[in-house]
Amino acid sequence: MSINKSENFTKEQWTGIFREAGFGDEDMHRWHIAFEKLHPVVHQQFLEHLHVPENEIKQIREWSKS
């Protein structure tokens, strides 16, 4: 599994999809926890693909492990 780097998609767009689907903050946190647990490398790639700053990626991944 990998992320296609040629497609542009922003963090805001992704969050908007979650919100439209009824996800709250806790739901998104659980999603990140599962993603980090099951596919940590792809989770990193996904966050990079969304152009999330490196320091924020680090925070998200640490938060997902706690």
Side-chain angles (χ1 to χ4, degrees):
M1 182 186 324
S2 68
I3 301 295
N4 182 346
K5 294 189 188 268
S6 67
E7 297 176 23
N8 284 334
F9 208 73
T10 67
K11 175 184 167 187
E12 291 75 19
Q13 289 170 311
W14 192 254
T15 302
I17 289 170
F18 276 139
R19 296 270 184 227
E20 188 67 27
F23 279 54
D25 292 339
E26 276 301 310
D27 300 308
M28 287 187 267
H29 187 193
R30 284 191 301 274
W31 182 86
H32 277 286
I33 290 169
F35 202 165
E36 184 67 29
K37 179 181 177 182
L38 297 172
H39 301 286
V41 172
V42 180
H43 189 211
Q44 172 80 28
Q45 291 172 342
F46 174 77
L47 295 168
E48 290 171 356
H49 177 75
L50 296 179
H51 304 289
V52 175
E54 186 60 39
N55 63 327
E56 189 176 346
I57 290 173
K58 184 178 178 183
Q59 289 175 334
I60 291 169
R61 293 190 71 204
E62 286 176 2
W63 171 70
S64 298
K65 293 175 187 175
S66 61

